[in-house]
Every structure is written in structure tokens, then in C-alpha cells.
Amino acid sequence: QMTQSPSTLSASVGDRVTITCRASQSISTWLAWYQQKPGKAAKLLIYEASSLESGVPSRFSGSGSGTDFTLTISSLQPDDFATYFCLQYNDYWTFGQGTKVEIK
Amino acid sequence: QITLKESGPTLVKPTQTLTLTCTFSGFSLSTSGVGVGWIRQPPGKALEWLAIIYWDDDKRQSPSLSSRLTITKATSKNQVVLTMTDMGPEDTATYYCTRLYGDSYFDYWGQGTLVTVSS
């Protein structure tokens, strides 16, 4: 089970944004982060907890291992207002509930 | 360029069987290590993994839904088909087709198709 927080986040362009996922048991670094916009395909941002997918801007970063993980956007851009979710792939596949990043 | 697209009915009646087709391009399901999976998201709820089929026809299904799910592939057509029996209102969701990277994470997703279960 993955617990993601917060469920909603209000922020401004330029803000540093942090989203967390907590696993109910250790998943090593078998965690990915995605961005999703309405009506669009989800986009892979981070895999193996901290590896940046090719083509993803460097303002996105991931950290953590074991049970606690973080997605950080260092300086929020207008294109970043979206929903973000985590995925654990250590034991089958389980998703976090998602975090909607809204304009403040 | 890798793309996946889901197709199927938008409305099904309770107790009916749902059949969804994923048509993909940009990769082959005959390539070692490749898988295609189905994921769904009920309105206002978290994403839920349903099933995966691998290049070698190995299959994985969610234990909670395995008795209702069947996943098959038509490699030459670049298609994967998911069937779910005995549909109920709780199965109303957006259903997504995804590519599995090396038995790990999903690296490409379709846009999803909303299926509503209602009489």
C-alpha cells in the first residue's frame, strides 16, 4: 500500500514543491513518479526512486529508499500544474492516491 | 515514437462482460522483456493495476480480480485484449493501457477510455 500526500497542493510559479509517498513496507528503490494531465497520457518522470527519465526537465528530482520517498519540483513552471502519482513495483504494482498541484 | 490507444464500449450493463482492446505502435510484443498492462482508475479513486501480459505470453493478474480477468495478445496485430466478466457499478472507471519496461515500471501510457457500468 502506498500513501501519498498531500492530496492537493496550491503553489505559485517559481515555488519549490515537494510530494511524498510512503510504502507500507520496504520497497527498496522500486518506485516511479508520473505526471498526468486531464485527457492526456501519463508521463513517466522518475524511475528507481531517483533516476530522471530521458527528456524530463532537471527541475524534477526524486529521492528516498525503503519506505519514504519524495518528488521535488525545484521551481514550479506553468506547465507543471497537473496531478502527480507514485507507483511501487517491488511487489506487483501499487499506486499512490495522487497529488493535484493547483495554481495558488 | 511509442503510442498506445484503448478502445471498447463506453457503456456496459451490470453482469455483462467488458472487452477492451489496446492497439500500440512503436514497439513489438515479441521483443524480450516487453509487457503490456491494463490499469484502471475509478472516479475520485487511486489507480489500480489489473493485468499484464509479457512477450513470452506469461501473464500476471491482480489477485483481487483474477477470477474475472482474461488478458490475451495478438502480436502480429500489435494488440492486447482485456476481458472482465460480471461487470458492476464499482467497475466504472477510466481504463488505461500501458507498456511495461523490463518487468518493472510502466514507461508509456495510453490516454485512457472511460467505461461506465449502468443499466
Side-chain angles (χ1 to χ4, degrees):
Chain A
Q1 185 174 347
M2 301 301 295
T3 303
Q4 185 174 341
S5 61
S7 57
T8 306
L9 188 160
S10 297
S12 302
V13 172
D15 284 353
R16 182 181 181 88
V17 167
T18 299
I19 299 167
T20 63
C21 263
R22 173 165 289 175
S24 57
Q25 60 188 55
S26 177
I27 59 170
S28 184
T29 57
W30 304 123
L31 184 109
W33 289 98
Y34 298 84
Q35 178 192 69
Q36 188 172 34
K37 297 181 179 180
K40 298 283 187 69
K43 178 183 178 182
L44 174 67
L45 302 174
I46 302 284
Y47 60 93
E48 214 166 314
S50 60
S51 296
L52 191 68
E53 172 72 351
S54 176
V56 173
S58 59
R59 63 181 180 271
F60 292 93
S61 64
S63 64
S65 65
T67 60
D68 294 311
F69 301 87
T70 299
L71 173 71
T72 300
I73 309 173
S74 61
S75 178
L76 198 65
Q77 297 303 300
D79 191 48
D80 300 338
F81 292 98
T83 297
Y84 296 84
F85 59 89
C86 63
L87 162 72
Q88 73 78 20
Y89 50 97
N90 176 68
D91 180 14
Y92 287 115
W93 295 269
T94 313
F95 296 89
Q97 296 93 330
T99 296
K100 185 176 183 179
V101 177
E102 298 180 327
I103 299 174
K104 191 171 185 179
Chain B
Q1 181 187 3
I2 291 174
T3 64
L4 304 101
K5 187 173 178 62
E6 308 85 355
S7 60
T10 57
L11 179 67
V12 297
K13 291 180 167 52
T15 75
Q16 285 188 336
T17 294
L18 171 68
T19 299
L20 293 172
T21 300
C22 173
T23 303
F24 55 87
S25 63
F27 68 96
S28 172
L29 200 39
S30 62
T31 301
S32 177
V34 174
V36 171
W38 286 93
I39 290 158
R40 71 178 180 180
Q41 185 170 33
K45 296 188 177 181
L47 292 152
E48 177 184 24
W49 165 69
L50 300 177
I52 285 174
I53 190 164
Y54 294 87
W55 85 100
D56 60 356
D57 210 37
D58 191 16
K59 300 165 189 177
R60 298 280 186 273
Q61 289 142 329
S62 170
S64 63
L65 293 167
S66 60
S67 64
R68 299 173 54 205
L69 295 174
T70 302
I71 188 167
T72 59
K73 63 183 175 70
T75 305
S76 61
K77 293 183 180 180
N78 282 352
Q79 290 182 332
V80 169
V81 176
L82 179 77
T83 61
M84 181 179 291
T85 60
D86 193 25
M87 294 288 284
E90 66 280 5
D91 297 311
T92 293
T94 297
Y95 288 76
Y96 297 94
C97 174
T98 62
R99 189 182 83 152
L100 184 70
Y101 179 83
D103 200 18
S104 55
Y105 52 87
F106 305 107
D107 60 350
Y108 290 92
W109 294 59
Q111 293 183 326
T113 185
L114 176 62
V115 178
T116 302
V117 183
S118 175
S119 55

